[in-house]
Amino acid sequence: MLLKLFLFFLKIGFISFGGGYAVIPMIQHQMSSQSWLTDSEFQEIVTLASMGPGSIATNSATLIGFHIAGIPGAIASTAGIIIPSLIIIVLIAAFFYKFHNNQWVKASFYGLRPIIVALIAYAAIHLGLQSGKAFAPSWATIMTFVICGASAFALIKYKVHPFTVIVAAGIAGIILF
Amino acid sequence: MLQQLRMLFPLFWTFFRIGPATFGGGYAMISLIEHETVTKRRWLDDQELSDLVSIAGSAPGGVGVNAAAFIGYRMAGITGAVISIIGITLPTFLIILGLSFLYMNLDGNPKVAAAMKGIQAAVIALILSAAYRMAKTSLFDLSTVIIAIATLVVLLFTEINPIYAILSGLLIGVVNITVKMLLGLKVRTEKETPQKREDAVYLEYYI
């Protein structure tokens, strides 16, 4: 199991463009197709992962590894998702220092960037649909939308720090639910 | 060699202290890294920092981990890169496991469950705002808008493994630019960058 976790997150690490949010759908796809976690367990993990510093993808890897195989699992998964960064950055620093100015690299990113946007948006919609339980107009659903809307507004319009938003949403949750 | 060895502890310690401050992901910490490695320790000059930001932002993986690996490698070779990555990851790793222990002990507490529900809603907003910021800088012509919408539709209505989306993105980019070049159209692979340096550093446009 440790090897499986390590290899899965190694694969994720090599394609985790976009700082981490974009791989959430990929991790979720694996979790449900391999029955490693249920959707609600996964959602809990992503929520906890966003409460720590660092990238959500790496934190999710740590927590998934821990959930499935304890501390050794956490170490295997975290190492798996980080080693690709190490390899790629060392290769770039050693051989292709100016790689980001290469025409073909730029061309690939031209197509990749909009897809990253779609993947991140999909991650948000997918998580949203689960916690909204498909738009049933209950108090909990409406309050989820209210907190989500207010948080998005604070983050985008007023550039409030993510940590402040998370603490405020936690307090709002205690009051409203 | 000895000089490289002597670098290892400062590298580890610098990134160990930056690690817990990387809340909210990559770009928040670039200014912190700039302060520590350019202003304070003079490990890099301004031009190197700007290369670092675009490399760390466009390579796969977290921006902080990539930046640590890059600086570590420049200062003390592969060992330096490994040490720096461990330095920046270790605090997060411990904090996140601690949070998880705390949560397991409090599981079933109705107040904690309510707070988690609120935070869950905020996390969705956090992810949405990341999508919005990236969209603002990476959807700048008709092709990019169509690619984004088509990908979202495919992801929402099919069971396709999202890994294929990433792989096809690389291909679409190359094909699109090749076709445009063959047709003699003007090729623009990036949104024009503002010339002001502060803006360029914080531009959330690299992936």
Side-chain angles (χ1 to χ4, degrees):
Chain A
M1 195 63 217
L2 287 181
L3 188 67
K4 265 194 199 160
L5 282 168
F6 177 76
L7 290 177
F8 170 66
F9 284 109
L10 193 71
K11 189 171 74 179
I12 291 292
F14 274 111
I15 52 165
S16 72
F17 298 97
Y21 292 110
V23 291
I24 293 174
M26 291 167 220
I27 299 176
Q28 183 159 29
H29 189 270
Q30 173 85 358
M31 293 305 125
S32 51
S33 69
Q34 301 282 315
S35 308
W36 284 357
L37 293 176
T38 65
D39 275 356
S40 70
E41 282 172 327
F42 180 76
Q43 194 161 27
E44 220 168 70
I45 280 181
V46 172
T47 308
L48 275 174
S50 68
M51 291 161 68
S55 113
I56 286 201
T58 312
N59 292 349
S60 301
T62 307
L63 290 175
I64 289 167
F66 181 65
H67 190 97
I68 295 175
I71 302 268
I75 295 171
S77 305
T78 311
I81 204 164
I82 280 175
I83 285 174
S85 290
L86 178 70
I87 296 173
I88 290 170
I89 292 291
V90 166
L91 285 177
I92 291 172
F95 302 112
F96 319 103
Y97 190 67
K98 291 287 174 195
F99 99 113
H100 56 283
N101 290 325
N102 177 294
Q103 180 67 23
W104 295 106
V105 171
K106 282 190 170 177
S108 314
F109 281 126
Y110 173 87
L112 195 50
R113 263 187 229 112
I115 285 181
I116 298 290
V117 171
L119 279 167
I120 300 176
Y122 173 69
I125 293 170
H126 203 66
L127 287 172
L129 285 182
Q130 280 167 33
S131 61
K133 287 284 173 272
F135 301 105
S138 68
W139 170 254
T141 313
I142 294 165
M143 284 309 118
T144 302
F145 272 103
V146 169
I147 294 176
C148 178
S151 309
F153 195 66
L155 286 164
I156 292 171
K157 179 94 199 209
Y158 294 105
K159 311 226 182 309
V160 177
H161 196 273
F163 187 72
T164 319
V165 171
I166 282 181
V167 171
I171 296 169
I174 292 176
I175 298 167
L176 293 171
F177 291 115
Chain B
M1 189 67 204
L2 194 68
Q3 204 186 357
Q4 286 206 344
L5 279 178
R6 248 189 245 130
M7 278 304 297
L8 293 181
F9 184 73
L11 279 171
F12 178 80
W13 185 234
T14 301
F15 288 110
F16 188 83
R17 281 185 304 137
I18 292 176
T22 58
F23 210 101
Y27 291 84
M29 104 191 77
I30 292 294
S31 60
L32 205 66
I33 291 182
E34 176 177 15
H35 177 76
E36 283 286 332
T37 62
V38 180
T39 318
K40 223 170 104 185
R41 294 183 184 266
R42 303 195 180 281
W43 284 345
L44 304 173
D45 63 32
D46 279 345
Q47 176 58 43
E48 286 172 317
L49 179 81
S50 124
D51 282 340
L52 164 78
V53 173
S54 48
I55 289 174
S58 44
V63 180
V65 169
N66 288 344
F70 189 85
I71 296 172
Y73 180 78
R74 293 289 309 279
M75 304 309 297
I78 292 185
T79 327
V82 172
I83 291 287
S84 304
I85 280 197
I86 294 175
I88 203 165
T89 309
L90 196 59
T92 318
F93 182 82
L94 296 176
I95 292 170
I96 207 76
L97 279 187
L99 261 174
S100 175
F101 275 118
L102 198 67
Y103 179 68
M104 280 181 347
N105 284 321
L106 294 170
D107 203 12
N109 179 319
K111 289 253 186 303
V112 175
M116 279 293 277
K117 271 180 134 177
I119 294 171
Q120 231 162 55
V123 169
I124 294 162
L126 212 67
I127 300 175
L128 275 179
S129 78
Y132 169 80
R133 280 194 316 256
M134 272 222 52
K136 238 177 32 179
T137 48
S138 51
L139 308 185
F140 55 85
D141 62 11
L142 191 61
S143 317
T144 46
V145 173
I146 291 174
I147 294 172
I149 294 173
T151 311
L152 188 58
V153 169
V154 168
L155 287 170
L156 283 173
F157 297 105
T158 67
E159 293 284 299
I160 189 175
N161 188 334
I163 284 181
Y164 297 120
I166 293 264
L167 299 180
S168 57
L170 296 168
L171 197 68
I172 289 171
V174 173
V175 170
N176 186 316
I177 297 297
T178 314
V179 168
K180 277 188 182 170
M181 278 197 307
L182 287 175
L183 293 174
L185 296 170
K186 184 170 171 274
V187 177
R188 198 158 59 106
T189 50
E190 290 170 352
K191 194 171 173 173
E192 261 107 56
T193 25
Q195 285 305 302
K196 261 171 48 201
R197 196 178 144 275
E198 319 73 285
D199 288 352
V201 169
Y202 292 109
L203 207 67
E204 307 244 354
Y205 121 131
Y206 300 103
I207 54 170

